[in-house]
Amino acid sequence: MPKRHLVTSALPYSNNRLHVGHVAGAYLPADIYVRYLRARGDEVLFICGSDDNGVAIEISALQTAQTPQEVCTFYNQRQKADFAGLGMAFDIYGGTHQPQYVKLHNRMSQEFFRRIHDKGHFVKRRTRQLYDGHHQRFLPDRYVRGTCPLCRDHETYGDQCEKTGAVIDALALIKPRSTLPPYAAPEVRETAHWYLRLNEFERPLREWLESKQGSWRPSVLNFALGQIRQGLPERAMTRDISWGIPVPLDDPDAAGKVLYVWFDAPIGYVSFTAALCVQRGGDEQDYRQWWCDPATPITHFIGEDNTVFHALIWPAMLMAEGQHQLPSAVVANQFVNFRVGGELRKISKSETPQDSPVWIEEYLKHFDPDALRYYLTAIAPETARTAFDTDDFVARNNNELVAALGNFVNRVLTFKSLEGRVPSRSAQTDFDRQHVARGAEAIEKVGRHIEAHRYKAALDEVMAFARLCNEHVGIREPWKTRKDNPPDSFAALATCIHGIHHLAVLVHPFMPGVAQRLRAMLGLPDEPPRWQAPAPLAEGHPLGPPAILIPKLEPGALTAGA
RNA sequence: UGCGGGGUGGAGCAGUUGGUAGCUCGCCGGGCUCAUAACCCGGAGGUCGUAGGUUCGAGUCCUACCCCCGCUACCA
């Protein structure tokens, strides 16, 4: 494995609060991966920040009588705080339109656009589009309502029939109305846009994707290859809105237009990397060490909705632009729904209660971030959608995390005869040594799972070792030999303590807070562990004060205040 | 219509290149008492969505079909 990695998590759109689905999809797995790589001794840059441009923020602002800048900065700050509360180890959390980053980001995005333009990969096309005369703006199809031109019997949005799901032409809507007050009837105007000729990249994209067979998840690969098989359409990379990055062309048709958010958002990964290089006292151009060096793998963690952009459009942009590496891996997770009373629901701003613990901000007011990290990894939507269930959360916390891991640590470290010190292991048995070897094996296996992005399997392996530790004490019964064979009892306990030391390593990528508490209880310095089997602590090594590692939750704890 | 994902014991999930189906939780029975009523041992429970096919042998490959979900948007 290489020594240097660039890891990104999808840029959250800054017009909403974060919920557990976001975290389980694009952030937590990435954080686990990064923590593991660092523990292994590799050099990692972990890049994230908010996606601040685009029509959705512009319209949110319009609806709440704020400026787009106010909207995106407000949510950028809240999201950043949520991530910090969850322990996300980003090296930088930028924002494509935040004051500290916008200048560099705009410049790099415009340069990117220009290079693609100069190489002839865009085509300019004229189209007709609905225009809201009151707001003096073009309306995305989603922001127009009217009578469905197919069924002719109901109101629908301008993009899709709500009854049949069929795609409709917004220009064909009968009696169209803007969805923006005062709901003016839109007029049709002509406009010009620059389209990326994706079809030119079908073959290189297919070859590139096929080279990933066996290492990428089938959901990403098959989806992307399926799209190519159907033929990639041209996609407009410019928009008729004002909140975004001006199109950097002299062409009069470019006046007043901005880059499509999905054009500039992935460039955010690059511009934030450059910003980080500057923050660390280097040069902006140092970002090339991470983006242009084939020995540095780039891994994008995303939610399933971003697959088309990260597996097709962004790679095509990179091919068109020609100066950067393609992603080494695109790790996509499915969505997480919310189960309430046995019923599955989507998590949404309008329907999910504002004080529900599925909102990270709400969760963190009452509970331990690591319990959430545990649960979200246990239900990781790696191959299919899963559900966040508050009762299941409490059950897993109490019956798995607390019972197997927390309780094991507690039953060993509170053992009376220890007197705060690591006892002698001189009477260790073969069984004890074998157990220690199993801990080392677990560290290896978990590492392999994480490298393959199998986080659920990795966590299972961690918990399997915790259970093995319980089994080991159960068989050794140091409480029975305490009086008649103290050396044997002590050796068993020393082995258990060594097991806890292994657990402190194993748990670190998943639950950094738990790992830190374990190290404190073991009397170890407060520094991140190395990903290797720890040497046994010397006899007499002073232990820290034992404490409850993970609190047990009352049934219904998560539903009570939410 | 097209593309993609999923359909495995009560629940949640694993099942890499085909070889009598595993894990966690829950449940039942027993044990232990160091421990956050935690832990350990044993047990019951599945004809792997349906119907065919290939094979000595298929959850695992092929065909058809059914169900759920997403995409098929100028929404991030």
Side-chain angles (χ1 to χ4, degrees), chain A residues 292-314:
Chain A
C292 307
D293 171 13
T296 300
I298 298 170
T299 307
H300 296 307
F301 286 82
I302 60 170
E304 58 175 322
D305 53 333
N306 288 176
T307 306
V308 70
F309 298 103
H310 286 80
L312 292 169
I313 299 175
W314 170 233

Side-chain angles (χ1 to χ4, degrees), chain A residues 183-257:
Chain A
Y183 316 110
E187 55 191 275
V188 176
R189 285 201 183 181
E190 186 172 84
T191 182
H193 285 293
W194 280 262
Y195 290 74
L196 181 61
R197 300 183 207 255
L198 285 171
N199 59 323
E200 290 176 354
F201 300 97
E202 285 175 5
R203 199 167 62 93
L205 282 171
R206 194 182 59 239
E207 285 167 0
W208 171 66
L209 288 164
E210 279 168 352
S211 76
K212 305 298 185 184
Q213 291 280 11
S215 65
W216 287 23
R217 292 182 181 169
S219 58
V220 177
L221 223 40
N222 294 344
F223 170 81
L225 288 168
Q227 295 297 308
I228 292 173
R229 219 176 299 125
Q230 293 188 93
L232 299 179
E234 294 173 347
R235 304 267 309 215
M237 292 294 141
T238 54
R239 290 292 124 105
D240 282 301
I241 59 173
S242 57
W243 184 243
I245 301 170
V247 175
L249 299 176
D250 291 334
D251 192 321
D253 279 332
K257 294 188 187 350

Side-chain angles (χ1 to χ4, degrees), chain A residues 3-14:
Chain A
K3 277 297 193 195
R4 184 175 252 246
H5 305 258
L6 185 86
V7 177
T8 73
S9 281
L11 307 187
Y13 201 61
S14 51

Side-chain angles (χ1 to χ4, degrees), chain A residues 531-551:
Chain A
W531 196 262
Q532 58 194 28
L537 295 170
E539 179 183 349
H541 171 92
L543 297 166
I548 291 295
L549 186 63
I550 300 127

Side-chain angles (χ1 to χ4, degrees), chain A residues 4-40:
Chain A
R4 184 175 252 246
H5 305 258
L6 185 86
V7 177
T8 73
S9 281
L11 307 187
Y13 201 61
S14 51
N15 76 338
N16 203 355
R17 291 192 294 171
L18 293 171
H19 59 65
V20 293
H22 294 122
V23 173
Y27 308 98
L28 182 54
D31 189 64
I32 292 168
Y33 187 59
V34 165
R35 286 176 183 277
Y36 161 74
L37 292 175
R38 287 182 180 148
R40 210 178 57 170

Side-chain angles (χ1 to χ4, degrees), chain A residues 475-543:
Chain A
I475 291 168
R476 293 289 273 117
E477 299 181 305
W479 50 90
K480 278 193 176 166
T481 51
R482 197 168 83 96
K483 295 214 171 95
D484 41 294
N485 190 354
D488 184 70
S489 176
F490 282 137
L493 289 168
T495 303
C496 290
I497 290 169
H498 202 184
I500 294 172
H501 202 165
H502 282 76
L503 285 168
V505 174
L506 286 164
V507 140
H508 172 255
F510 306 92
M511 295 175 279
V514 167
Q516 190 177 29
R517 277 173 255 154
L518 284 175
R519 288 193 299 274
M521 286 187 235
L522 290 174
L524 297 168
D526 185 20
E527 56 194 35
R530 306 290 304 184
W531 196 262
Q532 58 194 28
L537 295 170
E539 179 183 349
H541 171 92
L543 297 166

